[in-house]
């Protein structure tokens, strides 16, 4: 069985942020599996500043988790 999330390890912070975005989108998809409903709801929250800020907070939380898993990428710091 293949995992859609085999690891939280990434080579760079940029890739970590991309993974945080992916995790956030997957959470929405798992929470609301109906694609038509997700598309309908998107038209509502895309114009709601509070909803957009909340979604940014979810991404930030996921990114923080990934950063910890990657030792804050200290080995690539210049």
């Amino acid at each position: 069985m293949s995992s859609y999330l085999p690891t939280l390890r990434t080579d760079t912070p940029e890739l970590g942020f991309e993974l945080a975005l992916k995790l956030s989108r997957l959470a929405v998809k798992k929470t609301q599996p109906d694609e038509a409903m997700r598309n309908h709801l998107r038209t509502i929250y895309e114009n709601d500043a509070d909803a957009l800020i909340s979604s940014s907070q979810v991404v930030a939380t996921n990114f923080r988790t990934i950063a910890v898993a990657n030792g804050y990428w200290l080995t690539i710091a210049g």
Side-chain angles (χ1 to χ4, degrees), residues 21-47:
L21 289 169
K22 177 181 178 178
L23 288 174
S24 301
R25 286 192 298 264
L26 283 172
V28 170
K29 190 174 183 178
K30 292 272 187 182
T31 304
Q32 178 47 263
D34 184 307
E35 183 178 7
M37 181 56 73
R38 283 195 316 271
N39 290 336
H40 169 71
L41 293 171
R42 186 175 295 129
T43 64
I44 297 168
Y45 70 72
E46 69 185 0
N47 296 304

